[in-house]
Amino acid sequence: MNFKNLRESSPIQQLSLLGLAVVFGVFTTSCNPDETQVVANFTSTITLQEEFDVDLNDSIWGYEEGTGTDGWGNNELQHYTKRADNVVIEDGMLKITAIKESYEGAEYTSARVLTKGKFEQQYGRVEARIKLPSGKGLWPAFWMLGSNYDVVGWPQCGEIDIMENKGSEPTIVAGSLHGPGYSGGNPVTKQFQLTDNRFDSDFHIFGIEWTKDYVNHYVDGVLYNHITRDDVPGEWVFDQPFYIILNLAVGGNFDGAPTDATVFPNHMLVDYIRVYAAK
Amino acid sequence: MKKINFKTQVAFAFVGFLALALVSCERGFSDEITLATYPETPEVFTDFPVGLTDAFFVSFDPAGGANVNGFGTDENEAYKGNSSIRIDVPDSGDPEGNYIGGIFLDRGNGRDLTNYDALTFWAKGAITAEVGLFGFGTDFQGDKYAVGLNNIALSTDWKQYTIPIPDPTKLVQEKGMFIFAAGTASTNGLGYTFWIDEIKFEKLGTIGQVRNSIFSGEDVSMSSFNDAIIQITGISQTRNLGDGTDVTVDIAAGYLDYESSDLTVAKVNELGQITIVGAGNAVITASAYGIETAGSLTLTSLGDFTLPTAPTHAAADVISIFSDVYTNVNIDFYNGYWEPWQTTTSNDFDINGDNILSYDSFNFVGHQFSDPTVDASDMTHFHMDVYIPGTLAAGAKLKVTIKDFGANNEDGGGDDTTQTFTISGADLSGDAWSSIDVALSLSSKTRVGQFVFENDGSDLTKLYMDNVYFYKQ
């Protein structure tokens, strides 16, 4: 079953249609684990519904600020802040803005919000509706880290990249898993490309369905990446709660530095995040 | 190579005249009329011109140097199918024209292109030359929605090119399906061949990031006068293609909306023409879909402008270089932008139909009229009107050189003769016109081709000029 035709529907329509699809899914999933597989099996129990209609809920969300170590491990160029210039709820959306400005020794500012220690979940479905920025050197990401990050460190804690994008490639996103032996520049990853649209022109839905056996990545209801325990060339570290991170990095190892043609300020708009339990 | 019929603009003008005559005989519309819709045909050329007549190619004017011999189709080269358009770019010395170019015209009612977002085509060069222009929207009937991609490098393999449509909603009835112009600037004057195939409008969906500019994205300032008309220039749009690369095209003024901060000082029309209507200050900006456009013009209108006294010499006794009173000879330029030392820029304007040359950052500037040169042997005097805006600087002077190109009929070569004279501050005025008349003393004046104006190191850095001509007393 292919959900491409759902793109123009309202979120409510999408949910009800997804519900319908599940009925079909029962018959098709087991025998057809390819790109046309139903992706939304977990729809009944919503565990986090963040619509970003009012101020960022500090019982769910926190901020990471500063430049981390070595640009958050990736030679990123931005200084993260929690100023409204960089992160704000506006028009029912979370708006993260990358700005070119001198700020405490950095050339750029931006923001990273996360649910660490506040909302963490093991397995289920995690999706967000996001309009990405674009331009060389911008690196928007919607991802998760294992809750034992502070104890065992990275990559032992595991990393699930639900969506990351190189600003220089406005039609391509990637979904990846990082763990011990498959991290950094060598994750288990796959790209998804739009052929008739761009990720900075419209909102798109990015999600995963995650069980003890696999992680599925989807965009707008199209499953494009199915990673099982057997697919990772090392230890499977995804049987524990993970927390959610949304950020817009500037520069770094993924897409390189911005150029004069990169537009600043530039925004990542998140319409919602919805998380469902795995049942 | 199969030749395709072409018609020059002259022929087209004739068709236009016929059409006008026919329209005037039509009856009025009935009450039941519905808005016409136009074909949405996306293809322009596949193996043949699609939805176009045989006479779809309209060359640029041969009188302006366009060579009409090198346009046809080629059954031995095609990106797809069995035929492509073949263009033989002439050598720079070709007596029948040193460049080739023209438009593909929909001679019907035009097409509805509102559902597309780009023109795409494939091209291949016999060598890796640079083509001056590809685009669409030029119809030789106002070119209201012209779009041009400049200086395109050809590959010797087939390569696809994408030209974004700046705003598809404007193209409800477009007749300009394609345009190209190619010379030999990139090949040291050597002609070459290139091919074009699969020209079509498409809905790609992968074109994003609208970035529009006026005045090349600069915030410029200028002073002017009531009734002056100033054209907005440097209008372009940069888009980001699906592969992440940026493409910048020149776009017609009609794609943007313009705004004046003070309508009692300046107004702007949809053609990007600014008219000064009163004294004061106004800032001209542009937008599209509410998105601000980079670049602006800050205008200071000094109020009413006094035109120079109109010349009264009989037309038969005048050879005019720049005047609205007489017919001017064929002109190469009124500012040659001579590198590297010239700083002079042009900001010419028009007061109620009287064009005024306006020079800023003036150190020197030239007028040239070499095609053909002027035989001034019957003329006795040189005339010009000069206006120095503001207070006349102490020591201001204006040196004028009149140059005859000599036997070789070209600038330089050791056979040129010149007459030079310097107008001192005593003969110039601040904020007023000065009329300059000087007797010609050139030993040879049968091939006059150039004037050079210099401030001769003085602080004369801004001036207006009008009525530059030779006359017989």
Side-chain angles (χ1 to χ4, degrees), chain A residues 100-156:
Chain A
K100 185 172 186 175
E101 58 176 336
S102 279
Y103 190 89
E104 298 191 9
E107 286 180 77
Y108 304 91
T109 58
S110 185
R112 173 190 277 195
V113 296
L114 69 174
T115 66
K116 185 181 181 184
K118 298 182 174 186
F119 176 86
E120 298 177 344
Q121 181 172 312
Q122 180 174 347
Y123 309 140
R125 172 176 157 215
V126 184
E127 72 173 30
R129 184 168 181 267
I130 306 174
K131 185 174 173 182
L132 299 185
S134 75
K136 166 78 172 159
L138 294 173
W139 181 4
F142 170 39
W143 54 300
M144 305 176 83
L145 281 172
S147 59
N148 61 351
Y149 172 85
D150 290 335
V151 179
V152 301
W154 183 90
Q156 184 64 38

Side-chain angles (χ1 to χ4, degrees), chain B residues 74 77 84-86 122-126 158 193-197:
Chain B
D74 191 336
E77 277 286 354
S84 67
I85 288 168
R86 172 173 163 167
W122 292 78
K124 168 184 168 171
W158 284 102
T193 296
F194 68 98
W195 296 266
I196 312 172
D197 202 3

Side-chain angles (χ1 to χ4, degrees), chain B residues 20-262:
Chain B
L20 210 70
L22 290 171
V23 169
S24 61
C25 304
E26 277 185 3
R27 296 180 181 180
F29 297 125
S30 80
D31 292 341
E32 292 166 8
I33 186 121
T34 54
L35 281 175
T37 54
Y38 302 98
E40 296 186 8
T41 316
E43 295 89 1
V44 178
F45 183 92
T46 52
D47 280 338
F48 43 84
V50 181
L52 302 170
T53 66
D54 279 352
F56 71 94
F57 179 61
V58 187
S59 172
F60 286 121
D61 192 347
N67 189 313
V68 299
N69 299 322
F71 184 85
T73 55
D74 191 336
E75 269 82 53
N76 297 316
E77 277 286 354
Y79 167 72
K80 195 174 159 191
N82 50 35
S83 174
S84 67
I85 288 168
R86 172 173 163 167
I87 291 158
D88 294 333
V89 182
D91 289 335
S92 62
D94 192 320
E96 295 191 54
N98 61 7
Y99 82 102
I100 184 165
I103 63 169
F104 294 7
L105 182 70
D106 184 323
R107 291 185 182 274
N109 288 322
R111 296 188 193 178
D112 178 353
L113 303 175
T114 54
N115 287 322
Y116 306 112
D117 59 14
L119 175 84
T120 65
F121 59 95
W122 292 78
K124 168 184 168 171
I127 56 173
T128 55
E130 231 177 52
V131 173
L133 171 71
F134 285 127
F136 59 90
T138 298
D139 57 7
F140 292 159
Q141 299 169 53
D143 310 336
K144 193 171 177 190
Y145 297 118
V147 177
L149 179 65
N150 296 312
N151 303 328
I152 307 94
L154 292 171
S155 164
T156 52
D157 275 332
W158 284 102
K159 182 179 168 188
Q160 192 178 30
Y161 298 84
T162 300
I163 303 180
I165 299 178
D167 179 358
T169 64
K170 305 280 191 191
L171 305 187
V172 291
Q173 191 187 358
E174 182 55 53
K175 295 183 179 178
M177 296 291 104
F178 191 67
I179 186 171
F180 73 90
T184 53
S186 68
T187 57
N188 286 325
L190 283 176
Y192 58 94
T193 296
F194 68 98
W195 296 266
I196 312 172
D197 202 3
E198 303 302 315
I199 307 171
K200 62 186 174 196
F201 292 94
E202 291 195 74
K203 173 75 176 177
L204 297 175
T206 53
I207 298 174
Q209 287 187 5
V210 178
R211 282 164 281 165
N212 295 322
S213 293
I214 58 173
F215 298 109
S216 304
E218 303 287 322
D219 294 316
V220 296
S221 305
M222 84 192 294
S223 56
S224 192
F225 300 91
N226 289 353
D227 298 323
I229 295 173
I230 299 157
Q231 180 66 48
I232 294 177
T233 55
I235 309 175
S236 69
Q237 181 179 78
T238 300
R239 303 292 292 273
N240 190 251
L241 303 183
D243 64 2
T245 56
D246 284 340
V247 57
T248 298
V249 290
D250 290 335
I251 64 175
Y255 282 107
L256 301 182
D257 300 320
Y258 302 95
E259 191 176 318
S260 164
S261 65
D262 189 340

Side-chain angles (χ1 to χ4, degrees), chain B residues 198-375:
Chain B
E198 303 302 315
I199 307 171
K200 62 186 174 196
F201 292 94
E202 291 195 74
K203 173 75 176 177
L204 297 175
T206 53
I207 298 174
Q209 287 187 5
V210 178
R211 282 164 281 165
N212 295 322
S213 293
I214 58 173
F215 298 109
S216 304
E218 303 287 322
D219 294 316
V220 296
S221 305
M222 84 192 294
S223 56
S224 192
F225 300 91
N226 289 353
D227 298 323
I229 295 173
I230 299 157
Q231 180 66 48
I232 294 177
T233 55
I235 309 175
S236 69
Q237 181 179 78
T238 300
R239 303 292 292 273
N240 190 251
L241 303 183
D243 64 2
T245 56
D246 284 340
V247 57
T248 298
V249 290
D250 290 335
I251 64 175
Y255 282 107
L256 301 182
D257 300 320
Y258 302 95
E259 191 176 318
S260 164
S261 65
D262 189 340
L263 290 172
T264 67
V265 175
K267 293 177 176 172
V268 198
N269 69 12
E270 60 179 4
L271 301 174
Q273 288 170 332
I274 303 164
T275 304
I276 311 286
V277 293
N281 299 306
V283 181
I284 309 299
T285 53
S287 63
Y289 299 126
I291 301 171
E292 189 107 341
T293 291
S296 66
L297 174 64
T298 300
L299 275 169
T300 303
S301 167
L302 303 173
D304 286 333
F305 183 71
T306 310
L307 290 168
T309 307
T312 54
H313 298 100
D317 295 336
V318 168
I319 296 174
S320 178
I321 307 304
F322 181 83
S323 172
D324 292 290
V325 176
Y326 305 109
T327 302
N328 298 326
V329 299
N330 192 43
I331 295 296
D332 303 337
F333 52 75
Y334 294 114
N335 184 344
Y337 292 96
W338 285 322
E339 292 181 332
W341 308 115
Q342 183 183 322
T343 57
T344 313
T345 57
S346 283
N347 286 302
D348 304 341
F349 55 91
D350 164 345
I351 307 275
N352 289 329
D354 189 338
N355 289 285
I356 307 290
L357 295 172
S358 169
Y359 297 114
D360 286 326
S361 306
F362 173 70
N363 62 343
F364 61 86
V365 73
H367 297 181
Q368 190 167 295
F369 33 98
S370 66
D371 187 21
T373 52
V374 165
D375 181 356

